[in-house]
Amino acid sequence: MLELHRSRFVEWQPSAVVALAVAPGGRAVALARETGDIEVYDTIDWRCSARIPGHEGAAVSALAWCAPFDIDAEEDDVGGGAPCVLLSAGLDGQITEHDLNTLRPRSVTDSHGGSVWCLCAEPRPKPGQPQRVAVACDDGAVRFVVVLAGEGVGRGLQHRRGFGAVGGRCLSLAWHHAGVNIAAGTSKAHIHVWDVANSREIERITVEGRDKLNKYGKEGDELCVWALDYLPDGTIVSGSSEGDVTFWDGKFGTKLYTFKQHAADVLAVASSPDGRFVYASGIDSQVAQFERVDADANTWAYTTCKRPHTHDVKAMAMASGPAGAVLLTGGNDAQLLAYHAHAFRKRHPVRVVSVPQRTPLALTGGGLWTGVSATGKKGKKGGG
């Protein structure tokens, strides 16, 4: 007897991972795809907690988590409402605050500086002041936005005073862990460091390239500082379009070490919470690890690398899981991979999601993003 089976095939088009952002506390991770879709994962069991579908023409380039500020709250309860909201920005110049309960935009504002290349939230906002999110704009300026809780006029995303434009495009950002300084990388081979309290530029670091001229004897392509990170001791780490990973003295702006392990642009860097390990990756899909071998002398060494991705790696982030710090990477192969940060050499990465699908069941109410604020206060759960 001949058995007949009916089968249907869905034409699945993989979408690249373009941005990652870890919520305060490291218990939730937001992921943006090239199609504009945004997914939120629980780092305990790596369940997809929420998915915001993108729209036609969406070009999300950056994500950040921010604590909304309630201007009507008492002085000892300035967090008010949901302690953490998700922001996204794109090459269209729009900055969006997302409601993860309704999966709809809550407020939208323009960057006033063209395309947005990076978002970076203030690590330690001052008591009684809203948490600022730095915005790297295409016109070379660094702008600040805050999120005001509540409904009505004057709530949602609001602009605050930023810094003037520098030469080239502003491509990357990194806050000092104490929140006193912010560094910005540009497309003109410079790293600018500002004193946030005084709005004053205190350092300008020039990133050297391998070749100043192209084969025709003319000025070559721009040298872009695609990625920046601040270590707990103030050391600045940069990744450039030359494939270099460079460590800089954060106080004097002098170069400490340069590693040329990558054959193409370094698009992302991340560091372990204790600042002992630094990870870098980019177009060559190599995830490289650098280790501090002497803390007193601030000596660094290249240790190892892995190539679990098949194409460019565009985003890296450091989260926390049940076993400790977790390094996350995502790129053009549409995969999100997780590594044990302190056992990078001994353990293989785990594929968190290889074929993302729509969640068949959605629940309303609070999730991990409403659990812990940047100040460590508990938030209110939404309705179930």
Side-chain angles (χ1 to χ4, degrees):
M1 182 177 180
L2 180 63
E3 295 184 1
L4 297 178
H5 299 273
R6 176 182 296 175
S7 61
R8 295 181 180 179
F9 295 91
V10 178
E11 185 179 356
W12 177 68
Q13 294 292 336
S15 179
V17 177
V18 295
L20 291 169
V22 179
R27 302 292 296 276
V29 177
L31 174 152
R33 296 191 179 274
E34 202 170 39
T35 56
D37 295 351
I38 297 176
E39 303 162 8
V40 180
Y41 290 89
D42 177 352
T43 59
I44 299 297
D45 55 8
W46 297 108
R47 171 180 54 89
C48 185
S49 307
R51 182 180 180 275
I52 303 174
H55 60 274
E56 185 176 355
V60 177
S61 58
L63 296 172
W65 295 86
C66 177
F69 182 78
D70 192 347
I71 58 178
D72 298 327
E74 298 293 335
E75 186 176 353
D76 59 347
D77 186 26
V78 296
C84 213
V85 297
L86 180 63
L87 306 182
S88 70
L91 301 181
D92 58 357
Q94 297 293 312
I95 306 172
T96 305
E97 174 196 0
H98 298 277
D99 188 330
L100 294 180
N101 293 325
T102 63
L103 305 182
R104 293 178 179 273
R106 181 177 291 164
S107 63
V108 180
T109 187
D110 193 271
S111 70
H112 302 301
S115 301
V116 176
W117 293 93
C118 183
L119 294 175
C120 193
E122 185 178 13
R124 294 185 180 180
K126 295 181 180 179
Q129 297 294 325
Q131 183 181 21
R132 291 170 291 185
V133 177
V135 183
C137 298
D138 198 66
D139 65 351
V142 177
R143 293 173 169 82
F144 292 110
V145 295
V146 298
V147 178
L148 301 183
E151 303 292 340
V153 179
R155 308 305 173 102
L157 286 164
Q158 300 292 328
H159 280 267
R160 291 293 185 266
R161 179 184 177 185
F163 306 132
V166 296
R169 295 166 291 158
C170 190
L171 302 175
S172 55
L173 295 168
W175 282 88
H176 189 280
H177 284 238
V180 294
N181 298 333
I182 187 170
T186 72
S187 62
K188 293 295 185 180
H190 286 132
I191 300 173
H192 301 265
V193 181
W194 286 276
D195 182 317
V196 178
N198 300 319
S199 300
R200 181 171 58 91
E201 185 176 353
I202 57 177
E203 291 178 15
R204 179 177 298 183
I205 303 171
T206 300
V207 181
E208 297 178 359
R210 296 175 186 171
D211 297 312
K212 302 280 185 189
L213 303 177
N214 59 22
K215 62 181 180 179
Y216 300 107
K218 298 181 180 180
E219 186 176 351
D221 296 334
E222 295 179 328
L223 195 158
C224 299
V225 182
W226 290 117
L228 284 177
D229 196 15
Y230 251 116
L231 302 185
D233 65 350
T235 301
I236 300 174
V237 185
S238 67
S240 74
S241 56
E242 293 289 329
D244 300 337
V245 177
T246 307
F247 293 77
W248 308 88
D249 186 297
K251 184 177 181 180
F252 301 105
T254 55
K255 181 168 64 175
L256 301 175
Y257 293 93
T258 296
F259 297 94
K260 304 180 183 295
Q261 301 299 325
H262 296 273
D265 300 45
V266 175
L267 302 179
V269 296
S271 60
S272 60
D274 58 3
R276 180 184 171 189
F277 298 101
V278 169
Y279 306 89
S281 191
I283 290 180
D284 65 355
S285 74
Q286 175 187 182
V287 181
Q289 182 192 57
F290 306 91
E291 182 177 357
R292 191 198 302 267
V293 295
D294 188 343
D296 296 332
N298 202 10
T299 305
W300 291 86
Y302 165 75
T303 53
T304 188
C305 71
K306 295 181 183 292
R307 292 182 181 271
H309 289 277
T310 59
H311 294 78
D312 306 10
V313 176
K314 291 187 173 181
M316 302 181 78
M318 190 66 64
S320 63
V326 178
L327 173 68
L328 300 172
T329 61
N332 283 356
D333 58 4
Q335 299 185 34
L336 176 64
L337 299 180
Y339 316 71
H340 193 292
H342 289 85
F344 184 82
R345 284 175 284 184
K346 298 179 181 179
R347 299 187 184 181
H348 294 292
V350 177
R351 184 177 289 108
V352 176
V353 53
S354 56
V355 185
Q357 300 176 359
R358 288 182 178 273
T359 305
L361 179 63
L363 300 177
T364 60
L368 286 178
W369 51 86
T370 61
V372 181
S373 68
T375 58
K377 295 183 179 180
K378 294 291 183 181
K380 300 176 182 178
K381 292 281 184 178

